Amino acid sequence: MTDTGEASTVARVDRVKVWDPAVRIFHWSLVTAFAVAYFTPDSSRDIHEWAGYVALGLVVFRLIWGFVGSRHARFSDFVTGPRRLIDYVRQMIRGKEPRYLGHNPAAAIMILFLLVAVGVIGVSGWLLTTDWGWGSKTIEEIHEISVNVTLVAIALHVGAAIYESIHHQENLIRAIFTGYKRR
C-alpha cells in the first residue's frame, strides 16, 4: 500500500460515528424550515405557515428521538444537572473545557432552548391561524419575540460551534454533515 493509502486508512480508523442520519437530517431540515419561514415574504403566507408546521413537526420528532434514538441522540447522553453545566462553563471561561464526543453540557442547554423556542414559535404561529388566536396582538408579539430570541440563540449556537471547532481542532460543521468525529 502507498503512503497515501495508509494515511487514509488511519484517518478512517480514527473516526467514530456520532450523529446518526436522523439527527443530521433533522438538524438541516430544521435549519431549512426556519430559514424558509423567516425569509418568506408576506405575500406567500401559505409557504410561511407550512414551513412553520414542518419545523413544529421536526421538533416533535426530535423530542421523541431524544428518548429512543441512537446513543448520542438521546437526551440521557448529554443533558446533565446544573452542577456539571456550571463546572463546564467555568472550565470554558479558562479555555480548559474538555472535549466531548457528543454534545457538551452547554450545547445541551442550547439544544433544549432551541427546541422549546421553535416549539413556541410554531404553536404561537398556528394559534394566529385559528379563530381563537387570529388578530391577537399578544400572540403575535409572543411569536415575533420568540423568533428574534431564537435568531440570537442561533447566532450563539453557530459561534459556539466555530469556537469549539477551533479550540478542539475539529470541524463540527463537517461532523453534522458526515456524522463522524475524530475519536
Side-chain angles (χ1 to χ4, degrees), residues 60-120:
V60 170
F61 163 78
R62 185 61 181 95
L63 291 172
I64 294 166
W65 199 245
F67 293 101
V68 302
S70 63
R71 176 182 171 200
H72 294 294
R74 292 182 186 213
F75 297 129
S76 61
D77 183 65
F78 61 89
V79 176
T80 64
R83 184 176 307 228
R84 198 159 172 202
L85 172 64
I86 291 166
D87 218 25
Y88 179 83
V89 170
R90 282 184 182 144
Q91 291 174 321
M92 190 176 74
I93 289 169
R94 294 191 319 257
K96 299 191 182 290
E97 74 278 7
R99 176 183 172 267
Y100 281 76
L101 193 54
H103 290 101
N104 65 54
I109 295 302
M110 182 59 78
I111 290 164
L112 295 176
F113 179 82
L114 286 170
L115 289 172
V116 169
V118 173
V120 169

Side-chain angles (χ1 to χ4, degrees), residues 149-166:
V149 168
T150 302
L151 287 170
V152 172
I154 290 168
L156 288 171
H157 173 64
V158 170
I162 292 168
Y163 164 80
E164 194 169 328
S165 291
I166 293 167

